[in-house]
Amino acid sequence: GQQLNQSPQSMFIQEGEDVSMNCTSSSIFNTWLWYKQDPGEGPVLLIALYKAGELTSNGRLTAQFGITRKDSFLNISASIPSDVGIYFCAGQPRRGSGNTGKLIFGQGTTLQVKP
Amino acid sequence: SQTIHQWPATLVQPVGSPLSLECTVEGTSNPNLYWYRQAAGRGLQLLFYSVGIGQISSEVPQNLSASRPQDRQFILSSKKLLLSDSGFYLCAWSVLSPGSSGNTIYFGEGSWLTVV
């Protein structure tokens, strides 16, 4: 089945550093979503992207929908300790999902921030 | 605004016992509803989705079943739990994003199930 390749799998950075993670797919997507999950909680939507080339910011977070519609990245600037968590990308393939809203998820990037 | 709630938050059940996890959505009508399972804090696996009352699609063969008795209510069940059913279960809902052919999915708080 379709898969998303999310990288890196984990990151350990110093507070204040910038972070970048990305997802790639072999097929074209209609939608790219980025979530953050804290331990023991459900994923929380950070940024939603609906158009190729779209660049969207949410505070210190910036995400882009790749021009080829097969990739997306998420950047976090000036990281702080509360950025710790698992970040997931998710995409809705152009074909086969209809109006079901079925998403394909990446395997997650675990971010640790050292104060 | 829309909200989603699922319960119970944690559950410890013996092997062979039944299961019922419930999820409700407020503030929207005719949402798509989903049950996901997450093992070891990574990897979200779609178990069931529903586009309307009584309409359930299963993504993977398993020991679980889902039902949607009302528009905004989604229930995950099992008649006899297995050890392998342990995990973190997430209910979610979505709506077709305006001006887009894609959906945005919002998750509940999750339910921890431990089968002993």
Side-chain angles (χ1 to χ4, degrees), chain A residues 35 37 50 92 99-100 108, chain B residues 32 34 38 42 103-105:
Chain A
Y35 294 87
Q37 186 177 27
Y50 304 116
Q92 183 175 2
N99 189 34
T100 64
Chain B
N32 291 345
Y34 312 86
Q38 186 178 34
R42 306 182 68 91
N103 290 56
T104 301
I105 288 185

Side-chain angles (χ1 to χ4, degrees), chain A residues 2-80:
Chain A
Q2 292 171 312
Q3 291 185 336
L4 287 183
N5 295 314
Q6 183 172 351
S7 64
Q9 186 175 5
S10 62
M11 302 180 73
F12 188 87
I13 63 170
Q14 195 77 29
E15 182 178 1
E17 291 182 353
D18 297 342
V19 173
S20 184
M21 58 192 79
N22 68 82
C23 276
T24 59
S25 169
S26 58
S27 56
I28 293 174
F29 280 19
N30 277 335
T31 302
W32 283 98
L33 307 170
W34 285 93
Y35 294 87
K36 181 193 177 198
Q37 186 177 27
D38 292 326
E41 299 182 11
V44 174
L45 182 67
L46 298 174
I47 293 178
L49 303 162
Y50 304 116
K51 298 179 182 178
E54 181 179 358
L55 182 70
T56 298
S57 293
N58 178 8
R60 293 177 296 106
L61 278 61
T62 302
Q64 185 161 30
F65 192 142
I67 290 292
T68 65
R69 307 180 73 98
K70 295 182 179 180
D71 63 328
S72 177
F73 72 75
L74 174 70
N75 288 343
I76 305 173
S77 62
S79 59
I80 59 178

Side-chain angles (χ1 to χ4, degrees), chain B residues 57-68:
Chain B
S57 295
S58 174
E59 286 295 292
V60 294
Q62 57 201 307
N63 184 43
L64 303 169
S65 62
S67 61
R68 184 170 178 174

